[in-house]
Structures are given as structure tokens and as C-alpha cells.
Amino acid sequence: MHEAGLVEGVLAVVLDVAGDETVERARVRIGRLQHIQPGSFELHWSVLARDTAASEAVVELTETPGDEVVIEEIELAGGRVIRNPALGDVAPHRHDDPLAQTLREESR
């Protein structure tokens, strides 16, 4: 059930950032210490995302050391990509960036 809770949290952030837009892709980093298998994550995603704006989204998972769970970016219909501003390898974020706002709220 650990996978379901983790996927539910990631999906909630993705949907919050997407608002009314359709999600095409979500790129997520998951640390090895989370003990999540990609197939299990994808299965839970397909069940939990059913009937949402992310129901057809492709989920790209990258395994990393540690226990992090980081949404790197979300691609919306039409090709607009929202990158996680907390990552050092992206342009500085704007304070009105929806992913930045959601991540700030989630960290409280």
C-alpha cells in the first residue's frame, strides 16, 4: 500500500498544477530507499488517475539514490512544460509558477 499513498501524493500535486488542463507527461525522481518498482508505480497511477486530467499521461520515472520523491516536470496538452523550480538545473522560478506554489504548500 506504500505505493498507492506515494502515487496518490504525486498525482495530487500534478493535478493541482495542471488545473483544468490535460496532463500529457509527468517526470518523477524516486529514491531507491522508497522501494518502489516502476511497474508498481505505473499500475497504481493508471488506477488512481482514471477519470482525471492525467488519465492518459505517460509517467517517466528515474531512480535515484536516497529516499527522495521529486516531480521534475509536467507536460500539459499543447506541449507546455512546467518544470520544478526547486531543482538547480532549471531557470529561476517565478513566484506565480503553479508548481512552485504547490511544492511550497506541500512542504509546510
Side-chain angles (χ1 to χ4, degrees):
M1 288 310 255
H2 168 69
E3 292 91 345
L6 190 140
V7 172
E8 188 173 41
V10 169
L11 180 61
V13 171
V14 167
L15 292 173
D16 187 53
V17 170
D20 294 334
E21 297 185 59
T22 300
V23 179
E24 298 288 330
R25 181 178 54 85
R27 182 178 294 163
V28 181
R29 293 183 198 170
I30 298 182
R32 285 185 194 100
L33 295 177
Q34 291 290 340
H35 302 288
I36 301 292
Q37 297 298 316
S40 179
F41 187 99
E42 292 163 358
L43 175 65
H44 283 86
W45 181 277
S46 68
V47 171
L48 294 169
R50 191 174 298 149
D51 299 324
T52 72
S55 63
E56 300 296 319
V58 172
V59 180
E60 297 175 357
L61 299 176
T62 303
E63 186 178 83
T64 62
D67 64 352
E68 71 177 351
V69 176
V70 177
I71 301 168
E72 290 183 342
E73 65 182 33
I74 300 164
E75 182 177 349
L76 304 175
R80 184 165 76 103
V81 176
I82 301 172
R83 291 183 176 82
N84 184 335
L87 302 176
D89 57 348
V90 296
H93 70 277
R94 299 182 336 250
H95 290 287
D96 63 339
D97 183 307
L99 184 54
Q101 180 63 35
T102 300
L103 292 173
R104 282 193 295 272
E105 291 170 1
E106 292 287 322
S107 67
R108 292 181 192 160

PDB file of all heavy atoms in Angstrom, residues 2 6 8 30 44 57 59 62 74 77-78 91 104:
ATOM      1  N   HIS A   2       2.116   1.135   0.335  1.00  0.00           N
ATOM      2  CA  HIS A   2       3.027   2.277   0.309  1.00  0.00           C
ATOM      3  C   HIS A   2       2.997   2.952  -1.059  1.00  0.00           C
ATOM      4  O   HIS A   2       2.963   4.182  -1.153  1.00  0.00           O
ATOM      5  CB  HIS A   2       4.439   1.794   0.660  1.00  0.00           C
ATOM      6  CG  HIS A   2       5.512   2.785   0.409  1.00  0.00           C
ATOM      7  ND1 HIS A   2       5.651   3.941   1.157  1.00  0.00           N
ATOM      8  CD2 HIS A   2       6.506   2.809  -0.504  1.00  0.00           C
ATOM      9  CE1 HIS A   2       6.687   4.616   0.712  1.00  0.00           C
ATOM     10  NE2 HIS A   2       7.226   3.955  -0.291  1.00  0.00           N
ATOM     11  N   LEU A   6       2.076   6.950  -2.087  1.00  0.00           N
ATOM     12  CA  LEU A   6       3.066   7.767  -2.775  1.00  0.00           C
ATOM     13  C   LEU A   6       2.520   8.272  -4.110  1.00  0.00           C
ATOM     14  O   LEU A   6       2.623   9.458  -4.424  1.00  0.00           O
ATOM     15  CB  LEU A   6       4.342   6.956  -2.984  1.00  0.00           C
ATOM     16  CG  LEU A   6       5.529   7.752  -3.464  1.00  0.00           C
ATOM     17  CD1 LEU A   6       6.787   7.272  -2.761  1.00  0.00           C
ATOM     18  CD2 LEU A   6       5.698   7.615  -4.945  1.00  0.00           C
ATOM     19  N   GLU A   8      -0.585   8.560  -4.970  1.00  0.00           N
ATOM     20  CA  GLU A   8      -1.684   9.481  -4.688  1.00  0.00           C
ATOM     21  C   GLU A   8      -1.157  10.895  -4.416  1.00  0.00           C
ATOM     22  O   GLU A   8      -1.712  11.883  -4.898  1.00  0.00           O
ATOM     23  CB  GLU A   8      -2.490   8.970  -3.499  1.00  0.00           C
ATOM     24  CG  GLU A   8      -3.758   9.741  -3.249  1.00  0.00           C
ATOM     25  CD  GLU A   8      -4.592   9.076  -2.165  1.00  0.00           C
ATOM     26  OE1 GLU A   8      -4.029   8.605  -1.161  1.00  0.00           O
ATOM     27  OE2 GLU A   8      -5.822   9.040  -2.339  1.00  0.00           O
ATOM     28  N   ILE A  30      12.461   9.073  -8.090  1.00  0.00           N
ATOM     29  CA  ILE A  30      12.118   8.330  -6.874  1.00  0.00           C
ATOM     30  C   ILE A  30      13.383   7.647  -6.363  1.00  0.00           C
ATOM     31  O   ILE A  30      14.044   6.907  -7.099  1.00  0.00           O
ATOM     32  CB  ILE A  30      11.021   7.283  -7.129  1.00  0.00           C
ATOM     33  CG1 ILE A  30       9.752   7.976  -7.591  1.00  0.00           C
ATOM     34  CG2 ILE A  30      10.769   6.459  -5.880  1.00  0.00           C
ATOM     35  CD1 ILE A  30       8.599   7.055  -7.831  1.00  0.00           C
ATOM     36  N   HIS A  44      -0.405   1.625 -10.130  1.00  0.00           N
ATOM     37  CA  HIS A  44      -1.177   2.455  -9.209  1.00  0.00           C
ATOM     38  C   HIS A  44      -1.585   3.773  -9.868  1.00  0.00           C
ATOM     39  O   HIS A  44      -2.698   4.256  -9.662  1.00  0.00           O
ATOM     40  CB  HIS A  44      -0.382   2.707  -7.924  1.00  0.00           C
ATOM     41  CG  HIS A  44      -0.380   1.549  -7.004  1.00  0.00           C
ATOM     42  ND1 HIS A  44       0.522   0.523  -7.107  1.00  0.00           N
ATOM     43  CD2 HIS A  44      -1.183   1.238  -5.969  1.00  0.00           C
ATOM     44  CE1 HIS A  44       0.274  -0.372  -6.178  1.00  0.00           C
ATOM     45  NE2 HIS A  44      -0.755   0.033  -5.461  1.00  0.00           N
ATOM     46  N   ALA A  57      -1.771  10.256 -19.122  1.00  0.00           N
ATOM     47  CA  ALA A  57      -0.402  10.765 -19.002  1.00  0.00           C
ATOM     48  C   ALA A  57       0.620   9.636 -18.962  1.00  0.00           C
ATOM     49  O   ALA A  57       0.398   8.590 -18.359  1.00  0.00           O
ATOM     50  CB  ALA A  57      -0.270  11.615 -17.742  1.00  0.00           C
ATOM     51  N   VAL A  59       4.061   8.458 -17.485  1.00  0.00           N
ATOM     52  CA  VAL A  59       4.866   8.752 -16.301  1.00  0.00           C
ATOM     53  C   VAL A  59       6.279   8.253 -16.556  1.00  0.00           C
ATOM     54  O   VAL A  59       6.484   7.081 -16.841  1.00  0.00           O
ATOM     55  CB  VAL A  59       4.288   8.078 -15.041  1.00  0.00           C
ATOM     56  CG1 VAL A  59       5.137   8.397 -13.826  1.00  0.00           C
ATOM     57  CG2 VAL A  59       2.850   8.494 -14.824  1.00  0.00           C
ATOM     58  N   THR A  62      12.606   8.094 -12.819  1.00  0.00           N
ATOM     59  CA  THR A  62      14.057   7.987 -12.733  1.00  0.00           C
ATOM     60  C   THR A  62      14.392   7.569 -11.313  1.00  0.00           C
ATOM     61  O   THR A  62      13.968   8.220 -10.358  1.00  0.00           O
ATOM     62  CB  THR A  62      14.733   9.343 -13.039  1.00  0.00           C
ATOM     63  OG1 THR A  62      14.327   9.782 -14.328  1.00  0.00           O
ATOM     64  CG2 THR A  62      16.241   9.222 -12.984  1.00  0.00           C
ATOM     65  N   ILE A  74       6.140  18.610 -15.559  1.00  0.00           N
ATOM     66  CA  ILE A  74       4.820  18.167 -16.009  1.00  0.00           C
ATOM     67  C   ILE A  74       4.595  18.776 -17.379  1.00  0.00           C
ATOM     68  O   ILE A  74       4.776  19.990 -17.558  1.00  0.00           O
ATOM     69  CB  ILE A  74       3.727  18.642 -15.033  1.00  0.00           C
ATOM     70  CG1 ILE A  74       3.983  18.080 -13.630  1.00  0.00           C
ATOM     71  CG2 ILE A  74       2.340  18.257 -15.547  1.00  0.00           C
ATOM     72  CD1 ILE A  74       3.199  18.784 -12.548  1.00  0.00           C
ATOM     73  N   ALA A  77      -1.194  19.373 -22.225  1.00  0.00           N
ATOM     74  CA  ALA A  77      -1.646  19.329 -23.610  1.00  0.00           C
ATOM     75  C   ALA A  77      -1.193  20.605 -24.303  1.00  0.00           C
ATOM     76  O   ALA A  77      -1.196  21.676 -23.711  1.00  0.00           O
ATOM     77  CB  ALA A  77      -3.164  19.187 -23.670  1.00  0.00           C
ATOM     78  N   GLY A  78      -0.793  20.462 -25.540  1.00  0.00           N
ATOM     79  CA  GLY A  78      -0.304  21.616 -26.278  1.00  0.00           C
ATOM     80  C   GLY A  78       1.195  21.804 -26.136  1.00  0.00           C
ATOM     81  O   GLY A  78       1.775  22.707 -26.718  1.00  0.00           O
ATOM     82  N   ALA A  91      15.714  27.058 -14.953  1.00  0.00           N
ATOM     83  CA  ALA A  91      15.714  28.509 -14.817  1.00  0.00           C
ATOM     84  C   ALA A  91      15.077  28.908 -13.493  1.00  0.00           C
ATOM     85  O   ALA A  91      14.232  28.199 -12.959  1.00  0.00           O
ATOM     86  CB  ALA A  91      14.938  29.125 -15.977  1.00  0.00           C
ATOM     87  N   ARG A 104       5.659  24.559  -2.468  1.00  0.00           N
ATOM     88  CA  ARG A 104       5.826  25.316  -1.230  1.00  0.00           C
ATOM     89  C   ARG A 104       4.727  24.932  -0.246  1.00  0.00           C
ATOM     90  O   ARG A 104       4.967  24.734   0.936  1.00  0.00           O
ATOM     91  CB  ARG A 104       5.791  26.822  -1.512  1.00  0.00           C
ATOM     92  CG  ARG A 104       7.095  27.363  -2.079  1.00  0.00           C
ATOM     93  CD  ARG A 104       7.120  28.880  -2.044  1.00  0.00           C
ATOM     94  NE  ARG A 104       6.122  29.485  -2.891  1.00  0.00           N
ATOM     95  CZ  ARG A 104       6.299  29.767  -4.183  1.00  0.00           C
ATOM     96  NH1 ARG A 104       7.430  29.479  -4.782  1.00  0.00           N
ATOM     97  NH2 ARG A 104       5.340  30.339  -4.867  1.00  0.00           N
TER      98      ARG A 104
END
